[in-house]
Amino acid sequence: MVAEDTAGSGDRSDGEKEMDQKASEDAERQEDGDVAMAATAAESPSGEDEARDPRKWKWSVIFLCFYGFMSSIKPGEPFITPYLLSPEKNFTREQVTNEITPVLTYSYMAVLVPAFLLTDLLRYKPVLIIQGVSQVIIWIILLLGGTLLQMQFMEFFYGITMACRVAYSSYIFSLVNPVLYQRVAGYSRSSVLLGVFTSSILGQLCMSLGNITFYTLNSISLGFVSFGLLLSLCLPWPKRSLFFNRTNQEEKELVEVATKSELDKMNPKDGGPSFAAPPCPASTWKDSVFMQMLLEVRNVLKRPNLRLWSLWWVFNSTGYYLVLFYVHILWNKVYPATENKNVYNGGVEAASTLLSAIASFTAGFVKIRWNIWSELVIGIITAVQAGLLLLMRTTDDIWVCYVCYVLFRSFYQFLVPIATFQIASSLTKELCALVFGINTFLGTVLKTIISLIFTDKRGLALDVHSQFLVYFFYFTLLTVVYFACAAVVICRHYRNERRGGVTRDQPTPTELSPVVTNKELETLSNGKSA
């Protein structure tokens, strides 16, 4: 049960790429999630005058950041799973694990692509309103619903809110000129992160010190999300977007860029064959920017470093979000608290959010030759995550579970800004938006398949401890693959070095820019932050 995903990744110019690191959901969500920052809006028509005159954009950005902060405050989120399992709702652990929670994954997969396209087609604001309405419906169902079907509908609307998060992450870039991207990206993500942290702390204080009921806490959350919906109605409506709302001249220029191979632009001196797409007849659907970028994605993924980090995004984010979806159920099984004040989900989520932000910030200062050591670093971190999952699965100490969860999230969030930089550093923002969108969608499809097989009532319907054993084997398999690839790459590098050859794409060290916050630090429906 989540709220993931999710801010995303982008590309833009060199200065703009640094912004992607400095302003790192899962947010996350999202699954988040991903897509979010990649789908940044087109340039503002006012040009450099807008950058020189802050009065033309600052109030819109301030209001949007305030909206991001307020819409992230849902103090009842970390306690949704305990609420469903408490006498107030009285659902069994098997119902929550095998019948309610899987609906979230299915809903997210079904809505993700339409939300991505409608965000651009409708110019952001309507999608944010849809997200606000879905949030209100979620908390009304939690307060008034009592049947299994109603809780499944609640998870369905959670999937909608997760998919719509791409609108917020890309909206803010439609308000300013590209020279201001770095600054406003830091503002927007910091506001969401602060909202998530504040929400978790507020929820924990209400439960531990205020000793209120889950119902009261969810009523407070309904008030916050209703206020967030009112704010979304007051947001300004951008005139332009990334693909579908551009002037004819911009459309023509983007099509020309799209038909020129990204590989040719990244390696202009190479004498290899060109992968440029053939010109298309005028006035056909293939002339659209969106279709040209889809065709170009095939050529981009022929680059080893982009392919590696895209695959990491797909496979590791899948395991990461599955753990986030079900970890609160595991906590309830390890430590079925008899009193509400002894449930510490909010405090743990706040701690994991803070440590994840620190990990993302630290990643900005890592300086190694990623073209050589990427597989090894990924393999080591994935192995550590596998060990943490095994420990969570076997321990009977709830505090050990808490610590393992915080570390598990932090390791993932450490790699997110690095992956963002490695993928986005050489791409236009339009192409980058599609690459991250495709990665996120493929990860969601894989989550759906795993949920259908191991979690869903119609599949094996494993209990939560057995699921975490599956996740342990999943991360172990990924570790073996990464180490095998690392051995091949490193051996090839030193063999070429002895021969005086060149290794892969980038022989020089790459240093990331500092990252302010993580792309996926938005809360999940049972309190997890993505």
Side-chain angles (χ1 to χ4, degrees), residues 25 47 122 182 413:
E25 192 171 178
L122 301 180
Q182 179 174 336
Q413 300 296 348

Side-chain angles (χ1 to χ4, degrees), residues 97-98 453-456 460-464 466-467 470:
T97 304
N98 306 126
I453 295 174
F454 297 105
T455 306
D456 198 284
L460 297 178
L462 299 179
D463 62 39
V464 69
S466 300
Q467 286 185 47
V470 171

Side-chain angles (χ1 to χ4, degrees), residues 9-10 12 35-41 116 124 166 169-171 242 429 433:
S9 334
R12 299 168 276 285
V35 184
M37 184 173 164
T40 55
F116 180 78
Y124 313 108
V166 65
S169 299
S170 54
Y171 182 111
L242 191 63
K429 65 175 177 290

Side-chain angles (χ1 to χ4, degrees), residues 66 185 236 243-244 293 321 326 367 433 436:
F66 178 66
F243 295 113
F244 299 113
M293 292 298 165
Y321 283 117
Y326 294 96
K367 183 179 180 180
F436 280 102

Side-chain angles (χ1 to χ4, degrees), residues 78-142:
F79 303 95
I80 288 181
T81 297
Y83 178 51
L84 295 178
L85 296 172
S86 70
E88 294 182 57
K89 288 299 180 184
N90 206 30
F91 289 103
T92 65
R93 190 176 292 112
E94 289 72 24
Q95 286 177 313
V96 175
T97 304
N98 306 126
E99 298 183 64
I100 296 177
T101 305
V103 176
L104 171 61
T105 302
Y106 309 149
S107 170
Y108 183 46
M109 187 190 71
V111 178
L112 181 60
V113 173
F116 180 78
L117 297 177
L118 287 175
T119 293
D120 194 87
L121 184 63
L122 301 180
R123 290 173 288 141
Y124 313 108
K125 181 176 177 177
V127 178
L128 290 177
I129 294 174
I130 292 172
Q131 182 188 46
V133 171
S134 298
Q135 291 276 26
V136 172
I137 293 174
I138 288 168
W139 295 100
I140 290 176
I141 293 177
L142 277 172

